[in-house]
Amino acid sequence: MAEWTHFDETGSPLMVDVGSKQPTRRRAVAEGWIDLPEKIYDALKTGGVKKGDPIPVSEIGGIMGAKRTPDLIPLCHAIMLDSVRVCCEVDDESRALRIECEAIATGVTGVEMEALTGVSVAALVFYDMCKGVDKGMVLRNIRLLEKSGGKSGNWKAN
């Protein structure tokens, strides 16, 4: 069996020691989707969401979520983020909201979890903003699209 990195020899969880690693520029991009019921799709097009425009609020929420990743994910290192960008766009063809989060940092550990958390929190904020219109939204396909930097190098989703 492969040795687990986040448990010590007694089986207790631990935060991996990254102190000897050299800082590198790291970037990660994640995406997620929300299927929009007709009422919400129409409300977005006409400005009919009573709480206000959910897209910029969701984008800000996603940025805040990325910044709070180590508070939400056990054993995740707190890192200094250089940049976080969250973009929410309505896809008219599929009647869905696409959420993308890009996280960038210069450090000793990756930013994949920050990008994924940014997408996840943005999706939850959007749901909260629109649930009064229709609770039938489906959050789906949250995934890492690409990452660069660090020992493992570059990676892109198929």
Side-chain angles (χ1 to χ4, degrees):
M1 175 164 49
E3 187 176 317
W4 290 348
T5 58
H6 286 65
F7 291 87
D8 68 15
E9 60 279 350
T10 69
S12 294
L14 60 85
M15 182 183 264
V16 173
D17 183 354
V18 295
S20 63
K21 294 172 74 176
Q22 292 300 310
T24 62
R25 183 84 163 163
R26 294 155 185 272
R27 177 178 174 269
V29 180
E31 76 170 353
W33 292 83
I34 302 176
D35 293 332
L36 304 174
E38 187 174 346
K39 281 179 166 179
I40 292 176
Y41 179 82
D42 292 344
L44 285 173
K45 293 300 183 181
T46 63
V49 179
K50 287 184 181 180
K51 289 186 177 183
D53 188 349
I55 289 179
V57 178
S58 299
E59 292 170 343
I60 291 169
I63 292 168
M64 292 174 66
K67 291 168 54 174
R68 299 298 300 262
T69 299
D71 295 331
L72 301 170
I73 307 297
L75 310 178
C76 192
H77 291 84
I79 61 174
M80 177 73 74
L81 291 166
D82 296 335
S83 173
V84 176
R85 178 190 55 81
V86 176
C87 181
C88 299
E89 294 180 326
V90 176
D91 182 83
D92 292 321
E93 187 176 319
S94 63
R95 289 194 174 221
L97 183 76
R98 181 179 182 270
I99 304 166
E100 182 177 287
C101 178
E102 174 188 57
I104 299 173
T106 302
V108 297
T109 189
V111 291
E112 297 92 341
M113 295 310 301
E114 286 74 11
L116 289 162
T117 301
V119 167
S120 300
V121 172
L124 292 171
V125 170
F126 186 90
Y127 188 97
D128 181 55
M129 291 286 292
C130 295
K131 69 185 182 215
V133 177
D134 190 320
K135 293 173 182 54
M137 294 166 277
V138 176
L139 287 62
R140 63 176 172 85
N141 297 349
I142 295 172
R143 68 183 185 135
L144 185 67
L145 292 177
E146 59 183 275
K147 61 85 60 189
S148 62
K151 187 168 90 173
S152 66
N154 299 341
W155 180 88
K156 247 186 181 175
N158 294 328

